[in-house]
Amino acid sequence: GAGVSQSPRYKVAKRGQDVALRCDPISGHVSLFWYQQALGQGPEFLTYFQNEAQLDKSGLPSDRFFAERPEGSVSTLKIQRTQQEDSAVYLCASSSPPWDRVYGYTFGSGTRLTVV
Amino acid sequence: DAKTTQPNSMESNEEEPVHLPCNHSTISGTDYIHWYRQLPSQGPEYVIHGLTSNVNNRMASLAIAEDRKSSTLILHRATLRDAAVYYCILTRGSTLGRLYFGRGTQLTVWP
């Protein structure tokens, strides 16, 4: 596609509910990142994939957070037993080295998760 | 990763130039300087990046101090559409890797 697509755009979850957030990267992009952005803050790194391999998950805040990219394209970020502090915008970005050195990363518009 | 320092907010009038400063006093020789911006309700957008020399592209110019401890993003003629949060980010080495955004500078453009 022309850009990075994220769905749903908005998600309201009751505390304790599981949620799944989807990211469709630009076709052919090898690298995929997930970021979490709390209100009034800059995005913070969660995890990184190169194709289907999850190379860095050091930013995941707890074992309730899980990400996958089984076929090296679409990725899903899953949050189990959501808590209020999980309320944030979840951003996905993709890139294709070495072109990321010229064009940077392309971000989606994010999924705004509200836990009530 | 080396840290950057930016003012919390800046203001400009439409069609005037804007100079957005960034301090990175602990920058290392292999750190690249990247700028992204984030419009309301959008994900961040790549603006420009550089290593040592000043850089120009269709969106902006990047002026890098000779000692590389600071840089300035220059918008030559601000428009209302340039109102956004601007992030100055350092990345190390030949791969971009994860980005450390900080809180950025909120730019307000007045008509």
Side-chain angles (χ1 to χ4, degrees), chain B residues 18-55:
Chain B
V18 180
H19 291 233
L20 297 165
C22 181
N23 289 321
H24 27 79
S25 58
T26 60
I27 192 170
S28 75
T30 58
D31 286 341
Y32 284 75
I33 302 158
H34 291 254
W35 285 81
Y36 279 73
R37 72 179 185 181
Q38 188 171 22
L39 280 64
S41 300
Q42 300 289 321
E45 172 187 31
Y46 169 82
V47 177
I48 199 167
H49 77 278
L51 182 62
T52 56
S53 303
N54 295 345
V55 184

Side-chain angles (χ1 to χ4, degrees), chain A residues 9 33 35 37 40-45 56 58-59 91 100-110, chain B residues 32 34 36 38 41-46 49 87 91-103:
Chain A
R9 189 77 172 89
F33 297 80
Y35 286 81
Q37 186 171 24
Q41 305 292 321
E44 292 194 359
F45 171 82
D56 187 350
S58 62
L91 294 161
D100 51 11
R101 299 223 63 85
V102 178
Y103 302 114
Y105 295 145
T106 302
F107 281 81
S109 295
Chain B
Y32 284 75
H34 291 254
Y36 279 73
Q38 188 171 22
S41 300
Q42 300 289 321
E45 172 187 31
Y46 169 82
H49 77 278
Y87 297 98
T91 65
R92 184 151 293 173
S94 60
T95 58
L96 287 185
R98 59 194 287 182
L99 301 177
Y100 294 87
F101 280 86
R103 298 191 68 171

Side-chain angles (χ1 to χ4, degrees), chain A residues 16-27:
Chain A
Q17 185 180 353
D18 296 350
V19 298
L21 312 180
R22 178 186 169 104
C23 172
D24 280 89
I26 293 175
S27 178

Side-chain angles (χ1 to χ4, degrees), chain A residues 16-19 62-66 78-83 86:
Chain A
Q17 185 180 353
D18 296 350
V19 298
S62 77
D63 58 8
R64 296 186 297 104
F65 287 71
F66 172 77
K78 298 179 179 178
I79 309 173
Q80 297 177 325
R81 305 181 303 281
T82 53
Q83 301 177 4
D86 299 334

Side-chain angles (χ1 to χ4, degrees), chain A residues 53-93:
Chain A
Q54 189 174 20
L55 298 186
D56 187 350
K57 55 181 181 180
S58 62
L60 296 176
S62 77
D63 58 8
R64 296 186 297 104
F65 287 71
F66 172 77
E68 61 183 5
R69 193 185 186 198
E71 296 179 359
S73 55
V74 171
S75 177
T76 304
L77 177 66
K78 298 179 179 178
I79 309 173
Q80 297 177 325
R81 305 181 303 281
T82 53
Q83 301 177 4
Q84 283 192 318
E85 60 262 32
D86 299 334
S87 295
V89 175
Y90 290 85
L91 294 161
C92 176

